[in-house]
Amino acid sequence: MNILALNAGSSTLKFKVLRFPEKREKVRGLCERIGLEGSCVSYIIEGNQRSYNAVLENHNDALHAVLKVLTEGAAEGFYSSEEIAVIGHRIAHGGDRFVEPTVIDDTVLEELEVCKELAPLHNEAALKVIKACREMFENVPMVAVFDTSFHQTMPQKAYMYAVPYELYETYKVRRYGFHGTSHKYAAYKAAEALGIPLEDSKIIVCHLGNGASITAVQNGKSVDTSMGFTPLEGLVMGTRSGDIDPSVVGFLAGKTELSQEEILRKLNTESGLKGISKKSSDFREVLEAMNTGDSNATLAIEMFVYRIRKYIGSYIAVMDGVDVLVFTGGIGEKSSYVREAVCEGFSFAGIEIDKVRNRTVAGDGEISTDESKVKVMVVCTDEELMIAQETYEVMYKGDEVCTTNS
Ligand code: ADP
């Protein structure tokens, strides 16, 4: 059976079709710059890479482009869209209502609209895509896979904010955590690759992309994570500030003409690497500027690395040790500079990376020295595979346990 996994971001739509139960990838692709100039579609179908420019004014157009890829695939002898048995969607915020992957029906769709309140910036694109799928793939069942659900195992002392308890009871103000599919995939994959039993392991996963978060995974379960009520909390990110004293919002609202919403928008979209470097949210561009001696770019990268190190230190304390440190996400997978800077000086905690392995690793691989007590690994995340896997498990419960494909 073929499962279509869809991962909608604010201006992107990633897609992948996998054949289950073998987990054989048939097509994967990306619709980029949705709603912006220069949008394009790129995909790999049965090993062949293609791309073309397309007018993608909204997520509806992007989904049409996905359908075109599938149908064109059929024309070339691959398969048709009718062969999609089920669609899995990534949803950023499931609130406290959705603790596990869920089959989408009318009631669930209504409840997802309510979760949108919690994360207007994050759930909106996925909801648009779900609605468009209902029209384009009329009778195909759909499953929602939540970024928050992996973190539902956090103990209450980790997920609560120390605010009046009624605010938690009435408004569900608490930490939820995000990037769950990626953290789970990376932790499971690392344990599998290293031959470490997941049920007796302490793993710290650093997902470093445009959005970035760190999770402490003990015995296969998330016990703490850096993002909170929304993805704004935690690390310094491409455009998000990460941890900040909330008094800053009230202070700035009093000092400037900005409304609370506008200040929050600045913290979400104009801060982080972009805000400090005054150049770009793109890590490569900030690194390039640092290498030409730009002091703001240097500070931005120093802050980025410093915050990651603080979280790693605190998660070693949370788990009373660590066996494996994993880097994933665009920056985690590709920047040997960041991995080296993060690990430097951590030998007291048993973390030692091999500089040559670190610079030459391609794809998944171990980058620690043979003597290092803590294994350090790069794992290329595959959220779409995880979405498809969880979708499969919900639709065909109990058929097989969750493993990664290797
Ligand atoms: P998203 O959160 O949008 O999925 P990604 O995981 O794709 O983001 O990560 C995007 C980030 O990865 C960008 O900041 C980009 O600059 C960075 N990146 C991509 N390739 C490299 C590289 N070779 N070296 C350093 N950073 C890189």
Side-chain angles (χ1 to χ4, degrees):
M1 149 220 339
N2 294 318
I3 297 182
L4 170 62
L6 292 173
N7 182 352
S10 54
S11 65
T12 58
L13 178 62
K14 292 183 191 151
F15 59 98
K16 186 176 261 195
V17 177
L18 291 127
R19 181 155 190 87
F20 271 74
E22 317 82 280
K23 296 178 216 157
R24 188 164 77 80
E25 180 180 310
K26 301 193 77 172
V27 56
R28 90 177 113 110
L30 170 67
C31 303
E32 275 181 285
R33 302 186 61 80
I34 299 169
L36 304 168
E37 292 266 305
S39 37
C40 70
V41 181
S42 53
Y43 59 97
I44 300 179
I45 196 158
E46 303 276 340
N48 298 309
Q49 196 157 356
R50 322 254 164 93
S51 66
Y52 65 92
N53 294 328
V55 180
L56 305 176
E57 280 181 8
N58 48 44
H59 285 80
N60 222 28
D61 289 349
L63 193 63
H64 270 291
V66 173
L67 202 55
K68 191 165 164 236
V69 169
L70 301 186
T71 326
E72 280 178 359
E76 290 165 10
F78 293 110
Y79 55 90
S80 71
S81 59
E82 284 86 61
E83 283 180 56
I84 301 295
V86 50
I87 302 172
H89 294 271
R90 173 193 172 207
I91 312 275
H93 211 319
D96 73 330
R97 160 68 183 84
F98 295 106
V99 297
E100 55 187 22
T102 306
V103 177
I104 301 172
D105 57 20
D106 288 343
T107 318
V108 167
L109 202 51
E110 271 170 35
E111 286 172 317
L112 285 173
E113 288 284 352
V114 176
C115 286
K116 198 170 86 177
E117 241 185 44
L118 284 174
L121 293 171
H122 315 289
N123 280 7
E124 198 157 333
L127 282 171
K128 281 183 193 155
V129 172
I130 290 173
K131 285 177 190 157
C133 276
R134 283 195 138 191
E135 286 171 22
M136 283 183 225
F137 294 83
E138 232 174 300
N139 296 314
V140 179
M142 296 194 280
V143 171
V145 177
F146 300 94
D147 254 9
T148 42
S149 48
F150 182 56
H151 302 299
Q152 287 293 321
T153 49
M154 281 194 285
Q156 199 173 17
K157 65 184 175 193
Y159 74 66
M160 288 296 289
Y161 290 115
V163 296
Y165 200 75
E166 308 83 77
L167 296 180
Y168 164 63
E169 289 175 309
T170 313
Y171 301 108
K172 308 297 175 207
V173 171
R174 52 157 283 183
R175 308 181 62 252
Y176 290 97
F178 297 86
H179 289 142
T181 43
S182 177
H183 286 295
K184 184 175 177 181
Y185 177 82
Y188 284 32
K189 184 92 182 174
E192 185 183 89
L194 294 166
I196 290 176
L198 200 56
E199 61 286 358
D200 182 21
S201 62
K202 294 169 180 172
I203 302 175
I204 296 176
V205 180
C206 306
H207 175 106
L208 311 176
N210 273 322
S213 65
I214 301 200
T215 297
V217 184
Q218 189 159 12
N219 305 335
K221 294 187 165 69
S222 168
V223 292
D224 205 347
T225 193
S226 58
M227 284 177 167
F229 182 64
T230 73
L232 183 56
E233 191 178 338
L235 300 179
V236 172
M237 305 178 220
T239 62
R240 295 188 197 120
S241 63
D243 294 335
I244 191 166
D245 183 338
S247 314
V248 169
V249 178
F251 177 79
L252 287 179
K255 287 277 176 197
T256 66
E257 299 289 298
L258 297 171
S259 68
Q260 195 174 295
E261 285 71 31
E262 285 164 336
I263 296 163
L264 279 173
R265 197 185 55 75
K266 273 193 186 297
L267 295 179
N268 270 294
T269 64
E270 292 175 24
S271 301
L273 293 175
K274 183 179 175 188
I276 298 292
S277 73
K278 300 192 196 169
K279 292 231 148 30
S280 170
S281 62
D282 189 286
F283 190 83
R284 276 167 300 191
E285 289 175 20
V286 183
L287 196 62
E288 229 174 83
M290 181 181 92
N291 290 335
T292 63
D294 184 296
S295 59
N296 277 73
T298 305
L299 176 62
I301 289 187
E302 280 175 359
M303 289 171 70
F304 181 80
V305 169
Y306 179 76
R307 189 82 55 88
I308 296 168
R309 287 170 55 82
K310 259 169 84 164
Y311 269 95
I312 291 175
S314 68
Y315 288 166
I316 292 175
V318 161
M319 295 193 287
D320 199 11
V322 57
D323 305 317
V324 188
L325 176 63
V326 185
F327 288 95
T328 191
I331 302 168
E333 290 162 26
K334 301 198 184 98
S335 177
S336 57
Y337 173 86
V338 161
R339 294 191 299 260
E340 192 173 322
V342 165
C343 292
E344 203 179 325
F346 255 129
S347 53
F348 73 91
I351 300 172
E352 277 179 34
I353 63 167
D354 180 311
K355 291 186 179 172
V356 176
R357 282 182 192 161
N358 180 41
R359 283 176 200 159
T360 53
V361 67
D364 293 357
E366 205 179 320
I367 56 167
S368 38
T369 61
D370 293 337
E371 295 75 35
S372 180
K373 267 173 46 197
V374 177
K375 302 281 179 205
V376 185
M377 270 207 77
V378 175
V379 170
C380 298
T381 197
D382 194 338
E383 289 175 285
E384 291 72 38
L385 168 63
M386 206 69 204
I387 294 164
Q389 167 84 37
E390 305 224 313
T391 298
Y392 179 75
E393 282 169 14
V394 170
M395 297 302 289
Y396 307 94
K397 269 192 182 119
D399 277 0
E400 70 177 46
V401 283
C402 174
T403 57
T404 54
N405 78 336
S406 38

